[in-house]
């Protein structure tokens, strides 16, 4: 009879339950700070609860979104700058909710890693909580998975899940979008969370490290500049929708850029004409284009180029909508108008991007 080797524990396999419990203790105050009408934002149970009636809804339609932050996490891991990546995670889902005209209600996160570092993970969750507070939604739950052998020590990945609601009959896009409607853009905060596989390739070819001074931002490191969190458009867009009644549609400019995202909210037979001279290109995109030799149309289909949200607006209410957005802290550019579609090309570009460094 063969003697069995006894005494192995879960920790011996690389999973530390005590570290997980420490993380929960660290993040509880952050989570509580996201409480809102409808949710107390307490964690520790097996599921999160939300009371739609307490949130003030009478006949709501629920809207859900999920996303991650892509290979942007690689830069966070390599630089040790984890705080902003949690904001990115929230933004990628809640910005998609508001595009539907929905108010974000609650958020859940999923964090997977090779070996749990409670302090680093708490820094990420602090960003998640900040993003939730800025968007008015409660962080009501999440999951931490320590998976040695699947992830290397120090590596991690994130996923986020958001649910929002709108009263029946108020969802976007509206069915009355028509040729002649105005197209306005809200400035982005940087690369946001799309195109980072290309960004990382360009950085590798440049020979610069993430700790080097950013060529396009002398007061920041390259890693820090590229990790600028995705802008949250929830409160400004909800305000414009509710106060003006003139916002017919919104498009979150993520992967696919202008070319693929704007047509998603347009009726068949319609497109948009965009005046590229009016698009305020951020310095980071000018550097990426120059360093990578990226063609203009590739830039427009890969990155936000400086505009993270598009609004389609009644033409006689442009000034009013722009005023509300500016009052809410947005930088606004009038980019063009809705036009009849011509064949497969539903986004027509006029002029050229200013890519001069």
């Amino acid at each position: 009879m063969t003697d069995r080797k006894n005494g192995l524990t879960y920790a011996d396999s690389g999973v530390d339950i005590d570290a997980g419990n420490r993380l929960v203790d660290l993040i509880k105050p952050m989570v509580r700070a996201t409480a809102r009408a409808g949710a107390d934002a307490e964690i520790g149970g097996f599921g999160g609860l939300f009371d739609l009636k307490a949130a003030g809804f009478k006949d709501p339609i629920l809207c859900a979104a999920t996303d991650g932050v892509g290979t942007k996490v690689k830069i966070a891991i390599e630089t040790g700058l984890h705080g902003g990546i949690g904001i990115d995670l929230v933004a990628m889902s809640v910005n998609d909710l508001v595009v539907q005209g929905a108010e974000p209600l609650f958020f859940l996160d999923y964090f997977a890693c090779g070996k749990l570092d409670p302090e680093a993970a708490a820094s990420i969750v602090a960003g998640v909580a900040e993003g939730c507070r800025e968007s008015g939604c409660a962080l009501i739950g999440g999951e931490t998975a320590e998976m040695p052998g699947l992830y290397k020590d120090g590596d991690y990945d994130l996923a986020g899940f958001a649910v929002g609601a709108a009263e029946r009959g108020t969802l976007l896009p509206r069915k009355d979008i028509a040729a002649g409607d105005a197209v306005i853009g809200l400035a982005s905060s940087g690369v946001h969370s799309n195109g980072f596989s290309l960004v990382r390739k360009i950085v590798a070819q440049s020979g610069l490290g993430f700790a080097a001074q950013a060529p396009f931002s002398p007061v920041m490191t390259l890693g820090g500049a590229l990790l600028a969190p995705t802008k949250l458009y929830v409160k400004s867009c909800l305000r414009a929708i509710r106060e003006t009644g003139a916002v017919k549609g919104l498009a979150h400019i993520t992967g696919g850029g202008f070319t693929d995202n704007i047509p998603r909210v347009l009726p068949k037979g319609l497109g948009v004409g965009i005046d590229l001279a009016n698009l305020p290109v951020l310095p980071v995109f000018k550097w990426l284009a120059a360093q990578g030799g990226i063609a203009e149309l590739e830039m427009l289909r890969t990155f936000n180029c400086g505009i993270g949200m598009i609004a389609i607006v009644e033409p006689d209410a442009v000034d009013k909508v722009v005023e509300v957005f500016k009052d809410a802290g947005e930088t606004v550019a009038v980019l063009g108008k809705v036009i009849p579609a011509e064949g497969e090309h539903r986004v027509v570009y006029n002029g050229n991007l200013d890519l001069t460094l």
Side-chain angles (χ1 to χ4, degrees), residues 118-312:
E119 281 69 27
S123 178
I124 295 167
V125 176
V128 172
E130 182 180 346
C132 286
R133 287 196 306 272
E134 289 186 26
S135 304
C137 66
L139 178 58
I140 66 170
E143 175 67 12
T144 302
E146 196 173 18
M147 297 188 282
L150 185 59
Y151 295 92
K152 294 185 296 184
D153 286 0
D155 280 355
Y156 64 82
D157 198 8
L158 302 166
F161 312 86
V163 173
E167 293 292 356
R168 193 178 303 274
T170 67
L171 290 171
L172 297 181
R174 283 168 30 184
K175 294 181 180 179
D176 62 344
I177 293 175
D181 286 339
V183 177
I184 66 176
L186 308 182
S188 69
S189 55
V191 186
H192 285 182
S193 299
N194 297 101
F196 270 87
S197 293
L198 178 55
V199 169
R200 289 169 46 248
K201 188 174 183 68
I202 292 169
V203 171
Q205 289 181 352
S206 76
L208 294 173
F210 291 120
Q213 176 183 301
F216 50 88
S217 181
V219 298
M220 299 187 73
T221 65
L222 180 57
L226 292 173
L227 286 169
T230 304
K231 187 168 178 56
L232 292 151
Y233 297 101
V234 170
K235 289 187 176 179
S236 63
C237 285
L238 287 176
R239 182 173 168 184
I241 291 167
R242 292 166 178 173
E243 291 187 12
T244 71
V247 177
K248 292 186 175 184
L250 294 165
H252 186 199
I253 305 304
T254 55
F258 299 89
T259 306
D260 290 348
N261 283 298
I262 298 176
R264 295 168 66 182
V265 301
L266 297 173
K268 289 182 179 180
L270 292 178
V272 295
I274 302 293
D275 187 347
L276 295 179
N278 292 343
L279 202 157
V281 182
L282 295 177
V284 60
F285 297 111
K286 297 181 180 185
W287 180 77
L288 289 169
Q291 189 66 45
I294 307 173
E296 183 178 75
L297 289 177
E298 184 69 15
M299 290 292 296
L300 290 162
R301 198 182 182 191
T302 304
F303 299 115
N304 68 65
C305 294
I307 294 292
M309 183 71 77
I310 291 288
I312 298 170

Side-chain angles (χ1 to χ4, degrees), residues 7 17 37 82 96 101 106 187 189 200 204 206 220 224 226 246 289 294 306 311 321 329-330 332 349-350:
I17 294 174
H82 305 292
D96 281 354
F106 59 86
S189 55
R200 289 169 46 248
S206 76
M220 299 187 73
L226 292 173
I294 307 173
V321 174
E330 301 290 355
V332 185
Y349 300 109
N350 304 307

Side-chain angles (χ1 to χ4, degrees), residues 45-64:
F46 288 92
L49 303 176
F50 193 92
D51 186 341
L52 280 166
K53 187 175 180 180
F57 287 91
K58 296 177 176 61
D59 187 16
I61 300 291
L62 293 178
C63 181

